């Protein structure tokens, strides 16, 4: 009967087992069909053709004296109870939340770490429009909070990275400055050495020039003496006899003319260790300035001045072209140099 079949299907029984039960019981009602289904629940469903026709044509059960309408009502009530007991949701035993399907329950388990779930007869009711709006607003608020938190974390990370970058830049700048300072010191020392060497070379060239001039003068004097038949005299000695002077200073000056070299001690007015040298007595005072400039960078040939403490005397710029002999500095003297 179509009514019995629909009732059994509404109760949740498998359609193939319903067909088997109705055919096997000869369509004698709901109760025999349901008894057949429960008795053969663990057995596989045979094909419809293999079901015995004898069973289908069997006589009605003698005990079937209950009114068919009452059986239907009883079975419908039983089906409703079975449907009511059917699981309609999955419930988290730890927090009490219910989920419509397994996928949502698994998502909740991944997020919360909960692992205790059970089937529930509670039905997940669809959200109303107001609840949907509230859920959407809540979701938007959570997303905004998450974005804000992420922005704060990104800003902090960016700030830390910027600090590291600046520190690295400062360290590199410091290293670069130190390298540049070392290079500048090396360059200054090289220039100082070059300047000293240049001054020494210039002084040596001038001394050689003076020596060459003196040698040429001596040669010319000898040749002239030979031509005139006079005895050869030293060019360094005076060609004319000076008038006799009783002054001791004049006698000292005349005696000084006999020395070919002059030994000098030069002291700086700013202090420090003195410099000593020996120069030809015919060398100009400017040669002393050039010698001093070759020894220290503190002295400039064009600006340095010289003086004597005893006898007290200050040499002017016009004296720089005069020889040490003419200035009375032979055979030795002590000069005070002011840079």
């Amino acid at each position: 009967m179509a009514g019995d079949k629909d009732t059994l299907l509404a109760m949740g029984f498998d359609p193939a087992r319903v067909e088997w039960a109705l055919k096997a019981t000869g369509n004698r009602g709901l109760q025999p069909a349901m008894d057949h289904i429960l008795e053969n629940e663990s057995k596989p469903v045979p094909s419809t053709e293999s079901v015995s026709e004898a069973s289908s044509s069997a006589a009605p059960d003698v005990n079937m004296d209950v009114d068919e309408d009452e059986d239907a009502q009883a079975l419908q009530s039983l089906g409703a109870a079975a449907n009511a007991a059917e699981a309609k949701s999955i419930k988290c035993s730890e927090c009490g939340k219910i989920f419509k399907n397994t996928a949502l329950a698994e998502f909740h388990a991944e997020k919360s770490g909960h692992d205790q779930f059970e089937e529930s007869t509670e039905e997940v009711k669809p959200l109303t429009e107001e609840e949907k709006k509230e859920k959407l607003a809540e979701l938007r608020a959570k997303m905004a909070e998450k974005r804000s938190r992420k922005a704060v974390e990104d800003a902090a990370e960016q700030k830390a990275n910027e600090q590291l970058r600046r520190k690295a830049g400062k360290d590199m700048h410091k290293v670069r400055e130190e390298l540049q300072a070392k290079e500048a010191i090396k360059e200054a020392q090289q220039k100082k050495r070059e300047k000293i060497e240049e001054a020494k070379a210039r002084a040596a060239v001038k001394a050689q020039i003076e020596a060459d001039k003196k040698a040429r003068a001596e040669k010319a004097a000898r040749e002239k003496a030979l031509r005139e038949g006079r005895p050869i005299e030293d060019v360094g000695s005076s060609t004319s006899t000076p008038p006799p002077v009783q002054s001791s200073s004049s006698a000292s000056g005349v005696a000084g003319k006999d020395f070919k070299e002059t030994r000098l001690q030069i002291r700086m007015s700013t202090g420090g260790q003195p410099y000593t040298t020996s120069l030809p007595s015919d060398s100009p005072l400017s040669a002393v300035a050039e010698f001093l400039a070759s020894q220290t960078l503190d002295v400039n040939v064009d600006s340095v001045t010289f003086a004597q403490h005893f006898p007290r005397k200050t040499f002017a710029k016009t004296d720089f072209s005069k020889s040490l002999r003419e200035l009375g500095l032979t055979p030795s003297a002590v000069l005070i140099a002011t840079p």
Side-chain angles (χ1 to χ4, degrees):
M1 297 176 62
D4 297 339
K5 181 177 180 180
D6 294 337
T7 302
L8 292 171
L9 293 174
M11 293 171 65
F13 293 116
D14 183 66
R17 290 188 179 278
V18 171
E19 291 287 347
W20 179 25
L22 290 174
K23 189 171 182 179
T25 58
N27 293 315
R28 285 178 296 167
L30 290 173
Q31 186 63 44
M34 187 171 180
D35 291 340
H36 184 275
I37 292 173
L38 296 175
E39 290 174 359
N40 299 277
E41 183 178 6
S42 60
K43 298 179 181 180
V45 179
S47 61
T48 307
E49 289 77 13
S50 64
V51 178
S52 175
E53 294 295 336
S55 300
S56 302
S57 58
D61 190 353
V62 295
N63 295 325
M64 189 65 179
D65 55 358
V66 183
D67 186 76
E68 185 176 345
D69 291 339
E70 294 179 356
D71 290 342
Q73 291 178 358
L75 290 175
Q76 286 178 354
S77 299
L78 182 61
N83 287 334
E86 182 182 358
K88 297 182 179 180
S89 61
I90 299 176
K91 182 177 181 180
C92 177
S93 303
E94 298 185 33
C95 64
K97 290 185 178 181
I98 59 174
F99 305 96
K100 189 175 182 180
N101 51 46
T102 306
L104 295 176
E106 290 177 352
F107 181 77
H108 172 72
E110 292 178 0
K111 291 293 183 181
S112 62
H114 297 168
D115 58 0
Q116 301 297 326
F117 293 90
E118 61 183 354
E119 292 183 343
S120 174
T121 57
E122 296 182 41
E123 184 177 2
V124 180
K125 297 181 180 180
L127 298 176
T128 64
E129 291 298 325
E130 188 64 27
E131 289 174 338
K132 288 181 180 179
K133 291 180 180 179
E134 290 179 358
K135 285 286 185 181
L136 183 59
E138 182 181 355
L139 180 60
R140 287 176 177 172
K142 288 183 178 179
M143 291 299 294
E145 182 183 358
K146 184 177 180 180
R147 284 195 297 268
S148 177
R149 186 167 57 251
K150 185 69 167 58
V152 172
E153 292 175 355
D154 291 344
E157 183 178 359
Q158 184 177 2
K159 184 177 180 180
N161 293 337
E162 180 66 15
Q163 290 177 346
L164 290 175
R165 187 188 65 79
R166 289 184 178 180
K167 185 177 183 301
K170 288 181 179 179
D171 293 342
M172 288 298 296
H173 183 68
K174 184 178 180 180
V175 171
R176 192 179 296 112
E177 285 184 344
E178 290 177 354
L179 290 176
Q180 290 177 351
K182 290 181 179 178
E183 290 297 329
I185 292 173
K186 288 182 179 179
E187 186 177 355
Q189 291 175 345
Q190 181 64 26
K191 287 183 178 180
K192 181 178 180 180
R193 287 193 295 268
E194 291 176 355
K195 186 175 180 181
I196 291 174
E197 293 298 329
E198 183 181 354
K200 286 182 178 180
R202 189 166 56 247
V205 170
K206 287 196 173 184
Q208 186 62 43
I209 292 173
E210 292 295 331
D212 292 344
K213 285 171 62 177
K214 182 178 179 180
R216 287 196 299 270
E218 291 177 353
K219 183 179 179 181
R222 284 196 300 269
E223 291 176 352
K224 184 178 180 181
L226 289 174
R227 286 196 302 269
E228 295 178 353
R230 292 184 292 102
I232 299 174
E233 297 180 359
D234 188 359
V235 176
S237 61
S238 177
T239 56
S240 60
T241 303
V245 181
Q246 300 297 325
S247 172
S248 60
S249 60
S250 298
S252 175
V254 173
K257 293 181 180 180
D258 297 332
F259 294 94
K260 296 181 179 181
E261 287 191 349
T262 301
R263 181 172 179 81
L264 297 174
Q265 184 183 86
I266 308 168
R267 296 178 181 177
M268 302 297 296
S269 61
T270 55
Q273 189 173 359
Y275 300 92
T276 58
T277 184
S278 294
L279 296 174
S281 298
D282 294 329
S283 300
L285 185 60
S286 59
V288 181
E290 292 173 358
F291 162 77
L292 191 59
S294 69
Q295 303 301 311
T296 175
L297 294 177
D298 297 333
V299 172
N300 189 308
V301 175
D302 298 329
S303 60
V304 67
T305 59
F306 296 102
Q308 271 185 307
H309 282 178
F310 183 81
R312 184 172 296 276
K313 181 179 180 181
T314 301
F315 298 97
K317 282 295 180 184
T318 55
D319 295 328
F320 273 51
S321 59
K322 297 179 180 180
S323 67
L324 303 179
R325 193 190 307 276
E326 292 175 332
L327 296 174
L329 299 178
T330 55
S332 63
V334 178
L335 296 177
I336 308 300
T338 301

